[in-house]
PDB file of all heavy atoms in Angstrom:
ATOM      1  N   LEU A  26     -29.047   6.694 -15.388  1.00  0.00           N
ATOM      2  CA  LEU A  26     -30.442   6.784 -15.027  1.00  0.00           C
ATOM      3  C   LEU A  26     -31.227   5.811 -15.875  1.00  0.00           C
ATOM      4  O   LEU A  26     -30.821   5.444 -16.979  1.00  0.00           O
ATOM      5  CB  LEU A  26     -30.951   8.218 -15.300  1.00  0.00           C
ATOM      6  CG  LEU A  26     -30.250   9.276 -14.524  1.00  0.00           C
ATOM      7  CD1 LEU A  26     -30.722  10.631 -14.982  1.00  0.00           C
ATOM      8  CD2 LEU A  26     -30.532   9.121 -13.067  1.00  0.00           C
ATOM      9  N   ARG A  38     -36.847  19.992 -25.391  1.00  0.00           N
ATOM     10  CA  ARG A  38     -37.456  20.788 -26.433  1.00  0.00           C
ATOM     11  C   ARG A  38     -38.166  19.968 -27.498  1.00  0.00           C
ATOM     12  O   ARG A  38     -38.736  20.471 -28.431  1.00  0.00           O
ATOM     13  CB  ARG A  38     -36.421  21.747 -27.068  1.00  0.00           C
ATOM     14  CG  ARG A  38     -35.210  20.998 -27.571  1.00  0.00           C
ATOM     15  CD  ARG A  38     -33.938  21.817 -27.369  1.00  0.00           C
ATOM     16  NE  ARG A  38     -32.864  20.918 -27.104  1.00  0.00           N
ATOM     17  CZ  ARG A  38     -31.969  20.502 -28.034  1.00  0.00           C
ATOM     18  NH1 ARG A  38     -32.023  20.981 -29.258  1.00  0.00           N
ATOM     19  NH2 ARG A  38     -31.029  19.658 -27.723  1.00  0.00           N
ATOM     20  N   ASP A  55     -25.149  20.149 -25.861  1.00  0.00           N
ATOM     21  CA  ASP A  55     -26.092  21.238 -25.562  1.00  0.00           C
ATOM     22  C   ASP A  55     -27.403  20.749 -24.970  1.00  0.00           C
ATOM     23  O   ASP A  55     -28.408  21.424 -25.004  1.00  0.00           O
ATOM     24  CB  ASP A  55     -26.309  22.072 -26.834  1.00  0.00           C
ATOM     25  CG  ASP A  55     -26.650  21.195 -28.050  1.00  0.00           C
ATOM     26  OD1 ASP A  55     -26.466  19.973 -27.907  1.00  0.00           O
ATOM     27  OD2 ASP A  55     -27.039  21.748 -29.088  1.00  0.00           O
ATOM     28  N   LEU A 105     -10.270  26.078  30.145  1.00  0.00           N
ATOM     29  CA  LEU A 105      -9.358  26.163  29.009  1.00  0.00           C
ATOM     30  C   LEU A 105      -7.988  25.595  29.371  1.00  0.00           C
ATOM     31  O   LEU A 105      -7.344  24.914  28.559  1.00  0.00           O
ATOM     32  CB  LEU A 105      -9.245  27.609  28.508  1.00  0.00           C
ATOM     33  CG  LEU A 105     -10.489  28.149  27.832  1.00  0.00           C
ATOM     34  CD1 LEU A 105     -10.224  29.560  27.280  1.00  0.00           C
ATOM     35  CD2 LEU A 105     -10.989  27.232  26.735  1.00  0.00           C
ATOM     36  N   SER A 142      10.458 -11.761  20.062  1.00  0.00           N
ATOM     37  CA  SER A 142       9.821 -12.216  21.292  1.00  0.00           C
ATOM     38  C   SER A 142       9.738 -11.092  22.319  1.00  0.00           C
ATOM     39  O   SER A 142       8.768 -10.994  23.034  1.00  0.00           O
ATOM     40  CB  SER A 142      10.560 -13.398  21.935  1.00  0.00           C
ATOM     41  OG  SER A 142      11.364 -14.038  21.069  1.00  0.00           O
ATOM     42  N   VAL A 173      16.308   7.440  40.099  1.00  0.00           N
ATOM     43  CA  VAL A 173      16.393   6.947  38.719  1.00  0.00           C
ATOM     44  C   VAL A 173      17.799   7.327  38.246  1.00  0.00           C
ATOM     45  O   VAL A 173      18.228   8.454  38.420  1.00  0.00           O
ATOM     46  CB  VAL A 173      15.365   7.655  37.841  1.00  0.00           C
ATOM     47  CG1 VAL A 173      15.564   7.272  36.385  1.00  0.00           C
ATOM     48  CG2 VAL A 173      13.955   7.301  38.279  1.00  0.00           C
ATOM     49  N   GLU A 213       0.462  -3.086  17.228  1.00  0.00           N
ATOM     50  CA  GLU A 213      -0.336  -4.065  16.522  1.00  0.00           C
ATOM     51  C   GLU A 213      -1.101  -3.470  15.350  1.00  0.00           C
ATOM     52  O   GLU A 213      -1.301  -4.117  14.330  1.00  0.00           O
ATOM     53  CB  GLU A 213      -1.343  -4.705  17.532  1.00  0.00           C
ATOM     54  CG  GLU A 213      -0.689  -5.692  18.469  1.00  0.00           C
ATOM     55  CD  GLU A 213      -0.059  -6.871  17.741  1.00  0.00           C
ATOM     56  OE1 GLU A 213      -0.767  -7.868  17.440  1.00  0.00           O
ATOM     57  OE2 GLU A 213       1.155  -6.796  17.475  1.00  0.00           O
ATOM     58  N   GLN A 226       4.435  -7.090  -3.522  1.00  0.00           N
ATOM     59  CA  GLN A 226       5.028  -5.748  -3.426  1.00  0.00           C
ATOM     60  C   GLN A 226       6.425  -5.820  -2.842  1.00  0.00           C
ATOM     61  O   GLN A 226       7.362  -5.154  -3.285  1.00  0.00           O
ATOM     62  CB  GLN A 226       4.148  -4.840  -2.592  1.00  0.00           C
ATOM     63  CG  GLN A 226       2.823  -4.545  -3.228  1.00  0.00           C
ATOM     64  CD  GLN A 226       2.999  -3.669  -4.464  1.00  0.00           C
ATOM     65  OE1 GLN A 226       3.593  -2.606  -4.383  1.00  0.00           O
ATOM     66  NE2 GLN A 226       2.464  -4.120  -5.582  1.00  0.00           N
ATOM     67  N   LEU A 305     -16.404  16.646  21.976  1.00  0.00           N
ATOM     68  CA  LEU A 305     -16.986  16.553  20.633  1.00  0.00           C
ATOM     69  C   LEU A 305     -16.162  17.370  19.613  1.00  0.00           C
ATOM     70  O   LEU A 305     -15.960  16.949  18.489  1.00  0.00           O
ATOM     71  CB  LEU A 305     -18.421  17.106  20.646  1.00  0.00           C
ATOM     72  CG  LEU A 305     -19.519  16.157  21.102  1.00  0.00           C
ATOM     73  CD1 LEU A 305     -20.844  16.865  21.161  1.00  0.00           C
ATOM     74  CD2 LEU A 305     -19.610  15.006  20.135  1.00  0.00           C
ATOM     75  N   ARG A 328      -9.172   4.227  -8.318  1.00  0.00           N
ATOM     76  CA  ARG A 328      -9.100   4.845  -9.637  1.00  0.00           C
ATOM     77  C   ARG A 328      -9.401   6.337  -9.488  1.00  0.00           C
ATOM     78  O   ARG A 328      -8.874   7.153 -10.233  1.00  0.00           O
ATOM     79  CB  ARG A 328     -10.072   4.169 -10.591  1.00  0.00           C
ATOM     80  CG  ARG A 328      -9.467   2.940 -11.177  1.00  0.00           C
ATOM     81  CD  ARG A 328     -10.461   2.180 -12.035  1.00  0.00           C
ATOM     82  NE  ARG A 328      -9.768   1.051 -12.595  1.00  0.00           N
ATOM     83  CZ  ARG A 328      -9.434   0.979 -13.896  1.00  0.00           C
ATOM     84  NH1 ARG A 328      -9.751   1.949 -14.709  1.00  0.00           N
ATOM     85  NH2 ARG A 328      -8.787  -0.066 -14.347  1.00  0.00           N
ATOM     86  N   ARG A 339     -21.284  19.872  -2.464  1.00  0.00           N
ATOM     87  CA  ARG A 339     -21.560  20.475  -3.744  1.00  0.00           C
ATOM     88  C   ARG A 339     -21.358  19.438  -4.857  1.00  0.00           C
ATOM     89  O   ARG A 339     -20.323  19.343  -5.476  1.00  0.00           O
ATOM     90  CB  ARG A 339     -20.552  21.594  -4.038  1.00  0.00           C
ATOM     91  CG  ARG A 339     -20.848  22.923  -3.359  1.00  0.00           C
ATOM     92  CD  ARG A 339     -19.812  23.950  -3.848  1.00  0.00           C
ATOM     93  NE  ARG A 339     -19.824  24.120  -5.287  1.00  0.00           N
ATOM     94  CZ  ARG A 339     -18.771  23.911  -6.051  1.00  0.00           C
ATOM     95  NH1 ARG A 339     -17.670  23.437  -5.551  1.00  0.00           N
ATOM     96  NH2 ARG A 339     -18.834  24.084  -7.351  1.00  0.00           N
ATOM     97  N   ALA A 369      22.892  -1.441 -24.428  1.00  0.00           N
ATOM     98  CA  ALA A 369      22.554  -2.771 -24.012  1.00  0.00           C
ATOM     99  C   ALA A 369      23.711  -3.762 -24.139  1.00  0.00           C
ATOM    100  O   ALA A 369      24.483  -3.728 -25.057  1.00  0.00           O
ATOM    101  CB  ALA A 369      21.372  -3.289 -24.855  1.00  0.00           C
ATOM    102  N   ASP A 390      15.115 -30.243  -9.427  1.00  0.00           N
ATOM    103  CA  ASP A 390      15.877 -31.453  -9.226  1.00  0.00           C
ATOM    104  C   ASP A 390      17.079 -31.464 -10.168  1.00  0.00           C
ATOM    105  O   ASP A 390      16.978 -31.750 -11.325  1.00  0.00           O
ATOM    106  CB  ASP A 390      14.943 -32.678  -9.533  1.00  0.00           C
ATOM    107  CG  ASP A 390      15.589 -33.964  -9.153  1.00  0.00           C
ATOM    108  OD1 ASP A 390      16.748 -33.934  -8.685  1.00  0.00           O
ATOM    109  OD2 ASP A 390      14.951 -35.017  -9.349  1.00  0.00           O
ATOM    110  N   SER A 400      21.170 -13.867 -25.442  1.00  0.00           N
ATOM    111  CA  SER A 400      20.249 -14.796 -26.105  1.00  0.00           C
ATOM    112  C   SER A 400      18.862 -14.735 -25.478  1.00  0.00           C
ATOM    113  O   SER A 400      18.650 -14.133 -24.445  1.00  0.00           O
ATOM    114  CB  SER A 400      20.811 -16.217 -26.002  1.00  0.00           C
ATOM    115  OG  SER A 400      20.729 -16.621 -24.635  1.00  0.00           O
ATOM    116  N   SER A 413       8.576 -21.143 -12.287  1.00  0.00           N
ATOM    117  CA  SER A 413       8.678 -19.888 -11.474  1.00  0.00           C
ATOM    118  C   SER A 413       9.762 -20.027 -10.494  1.00  0.00           C
ATOM    119  O   SER A 413      10.550 -19.089 -10.260  1.00  0.00           O
ATOM    120  CB  SER A 413       7.371 -19.608 -10.761  1.00  0.00           C
ATOM    121  OG  SER A 413       6.350 -19.388 -11.709  1.00  0.00           O
ATOM    122  N   ILE A 432      25.980 -15.262 -12.754  1.00  0.00           N
ATOM    123  CA  ILE A 432      25.713 -14.340 -13.836  1.00  0.00           C
ATOM    124  C   ILE A 432      27.016 -13.656 -14.194  1.00  0.00           C
ATOM    125  O   ILE A 432      27.673 -13.041 -13.317  1.00  0.00           O
ATOM    126  CB  ILE A 432      24.664 -13.300 -13.411  1.00  0.00           C
ATOM    127  CG1 ILE A 432      23.365 -14.066 -13.203  1.00  0.00           C
ATOM    128  CG2 ILE A 432      24.494 -12.216 -14.487  1.00  0.00           C
ATOM    129  CD1 ILE A 432      22.260 -13.274 -12.702  1.00  0.00           C
ATOM    130  N   LYS A 441      32.983 -15.192  -3.864  1.00  0.00           N
ATOM    131  CA  LYS A 441      33.983 -16.253  -4.009  1.00  0.00           C
ATOM    132  C   LYS A 441      35.356 -15.653  -3.666  1.00  0.00           C
ATOM    133  O   LYS A 441      35.729 -14.582  -4.095  1.00  0.00           O
ATOM    134  CB  LYS A 441      33.976 -16.725  -5.461  1.00  0.00           C
ATOM    135  CG  LYS A 441      34.660 -18.072  -5.627  1.00  0.00           C
ATOM    136  CD  LYS A 441      34.352 -18.653  -7.004  1.00  0.00           C
ATOM    137  CE  LYS A 441      34.905 -17.725  -8.072  1.00  0.00           C
ATOM    138  NZ  LYS A 441      34.727 -18.204  -9.435  1.00  0.00           N
ATOM    139  N   GLY A 462      16.698  -8.179 -13.907  1.00  0.00           N
ATOM    140  CA  GLY A 462      15.368  -7.610 -13.776  1.00  0.00           C
ATOM    141  C   GLY A 462      14.326  -8.701 -13.791  1.00  0.00           C
ATOM    142  O   GLY A 462      14.567  -9.782 -14.299  1.00  0.00           O
ATOM    143  N   ARG A 488      20.860   2.713  -7.965  1.00  0.00           N
ATOM    144  CA  ARG A 488      22.013   3.002  -8.836  1.00  0.00           C
ATOM    145  C   ARG A 488      22.575   4.408  -8.514  1.00  0.00           C
ATOM    146  O   ARG A 488      23.559   4.799  -9.084  1.00  0.00           O
ATOM    147  CB  ARG A 488      21.575   3.004 -10.278  1.00  0.00           C
ATOM    148  CG  ARG A 488      21.244   1.628 -10.821  1.00  0.00           C
ATOM    149  CD  ARG A 488      22.425   1.078 -11.629  1.00  0.00           C
ATOM    150  NE  ARG A 488      22.011  -0.017 -12.471  1.00  0.00           N
ATOM    151  CZ  ARG A 488      22.614  -1.196 -12.446  1.00  0.00           C
ATOM    152  NH1 ARG A 488      23.576  -1.439 -11.564  1.00  0.00           N
ATOM    153  NH2 ARG A 488      22.230  -2.154 -13.262  1.00  0.00           N
ATOM    154  N   ALA A 491      21.007  10.524 -10.811  1.00  0.00           N
ATOM    155  CA  ALA A 491      20.418  11.829 -10.504  1.00  0.00           C
ATOM    156  C   ALA A 491      18.953  11.776 -10.914  1.00  0.00           C
ATOM    157  O   ALA A 491      18.624  11.228 -11.984  1.00  0.00           O
ATOM    158  CB  ALA A 491      21.144  12.918 -11.279  1.00  0.00           C
ATOM    159  N   PRO A 492      18.074  12.335 -10.092  1.00  0.00           N
ATOM    160  CA  PRO A 492      16.638  12.264 -10.422  1.00  0.00           C
ATOM    161  C   PRO A 492      16.303  12.713 -11.827  1.00  0.00           C
ATOM    162  O   PRO A 492      15.502  12.110 -12.527  1.00  0.00           O
ATOM    163  CB  PRO A 492      15.995  13.152  -9.376  1.00  0.00           C
ATOM    164  CG  PRO A 492      16.938  13.112  -8.199  1.00  0.00           C
ATOM    165  CD  PRO A 492      18.283  12.994  -8.811  1.00  0.00           C
ATOM    166  N   ALA A 512       2.663   8.816 -18.216  1.00  0.00           N
ATOM    167  CA  ALA A 512       3.696   8.960 -17.187  1.00  0.00           C
ATOM    168  C   ALA A 512       3.108   9.341 -15.833  1.00  0.00           C
ATOM    169  O   ALA A 512       3.573   8.886 -14.800  1.00  0.00           O
ATOM    170  CB  ALA A 512       4.712  10.008 -17.624  1.00  0.00           C
ATOM    171  N   GLU A 552      -6.688 -10.158 -26.189  1.00  0.00           N
ATOM    172  CA  GLU A 552      -6.344  -9.111 -27.172  1.00  0.00           C
ATOM    173  C   GLU A 552      -5.231  -8.202 -26.692  1.00  0.00           C
ATOM    174  O   GLU A 552      -4.743  -7.363 -27.444  1.00  0.00           O
ATOM    175  CB  GLU A 552      -7.584  -8.325 -27.605  1.00  0.00           C
ATOM    176  CG  GLU A 552      -8.074  -7.339 -26.590  1.00  0.00           C
ATOM    177  CD  GLU A 552      -9.156  -7.906 -25.692  1.00  0.00           C
ATOM    178  OE1 GLU A 552      -9.135  -9.099 -25.408  1.00  0.00           O
ATOM    179  OE2 GLU A 552     -10.011  -7.139 -25.247  1.00  0.00           O
ATOM    180  N   ASP A 559       4.943  -7.906 -28.291  1.00  0.00           N
ATOM    181  CA  ASP A 559       5.693  -7.032 -29.224  1.00  0.00           C
ATOM    182  C   ASP A 559       6.847  -6.341 -28.529  1.00  0.00           C
ATOM    183  O   ASP A 559       7.928  -6.214 -29.067  1.00  0.00           O
ATOM    184  CB  ASP A 559       4.740  -5.958 -29.814  1.00  0.00           C
ATOM    185  CG  ASP A 559       3.887  -6.567 -30.928  1.00  0.00           C
ATOM    186  OD1 ASP A 559       4.237  -7.697 -31.383  1.00  0.00           O
ATOM    187  OD2 ASP A 559       2.889  -5.929 -31.331  1.00  0.00           O
ATOM    188  N   SER A 567      17.705  -6.345 -28.681  1.00  0.00           N
ATOM    189  CA  SER A 567      18.500  -5.266 -28.108  1.00  0.00           C
ATOM    190  C   SER A 567      19.739  -5.746 -27.376  1.00  0.00           C
ATOM    191  O   SER A 567      20.558  -4.963 -26.911  1.00  0.00           O
ATOM    192  CB  SER A 567      17.659  -4.440 -27.132  1.00  0.00           C
ATOM    193  OG  SER A 567      17.414  -5.205 -25.965  1.00  0.00           O
ATOM    194  N   VAL A 573      12.346 -16.324 -20.582  1.00  0.00           N
ATOM    195  CA  VAL A 573      10.914 -16.074 -20.585  1.00  0.00           C
ATOM    196  C   VAL A 573      10.163 -17.377 -20.334  1.00  0.00           C
ATOM    197  O   VAL A 573      10.326 -18.340 -21.060  1.00  0.00           O
ATOM    198  CB  VAL A 573      10.462 -15.531 -21.952  1.00  0.00           C
ATOM    199  CG1 VAL A 573       8.999 -15.104 -21.911  1.00  0.00           C
ATOM    200  CG2 VAL A 573      11.332 -14.354 -22.406  1.00  0.00           C
ATOM    201  N   ALA A 581       7.552 -18.290 -28.859  1.00  0.00           N
ATOM    202  CA  ALA A 581       8.792 -19.078 -28.661  1.00  0.00           C
ATOM    203  C   ALA A 581       9.424 -19.427 -29.994  1.00  0.00           C
ATOM    204  O   ALA A 581      10.642 -19.252 -30.219  1.00  0.00           O
ATOM    205  CB  ALA A 581       8.495 -20.348 -27.859  1.00  0.00           C
ATOM    206  N   GLU A 603      12.807 -24.720 -33.307  1.00  0.00           N
ATOM    207  CA  GLU A 603      12.312 -25.436 -34.511  1.00  0.00           C
ATOM    208  C   GLU A 603      12.348 -26.926 -34.308  1.00  0.00           C
ATOM    209  O   GLU A 603      11.373 -27.628 -34.507  1.00  0.00           O
ATOM    210  CB  GLU A 603      13.142 -25.051 -35.726  1.00  0.00           C
ATOM    211  CG  GLU A 603      12.633 -23.818 -36.444  1.00  0.00           C
ATOM    212  CD  GLU A 603      11.134 -23.822 -36.664  1.00  0.00           C
ATOM    213  OE1 GLU A 603      10.615 -24.878 -37.059  1.00  0.00           O
ATOM    214  OE2 GLU A 603      10.463 -22.808 -36.418  1.00  0.00           O
TER     215      GLU A 603
END
Side-chain angles (χ1 to χ4, degrees):
L26 299 173
R38 55 215 146 99
D55 48 349
L105 290 185
S142 342
V173 173
E213 285 299 275
Q226 293 291 307
L305 278 175
R328 277 174 177 252
R339 279 185 58 240
D390 189 359
S400 69
S413 296
I432 294 175
K441 197 168 62 178
R488 290 260 198 235
E552 76 266 32
D559 281 347
S567 72
V573 187
E603 272 313 317

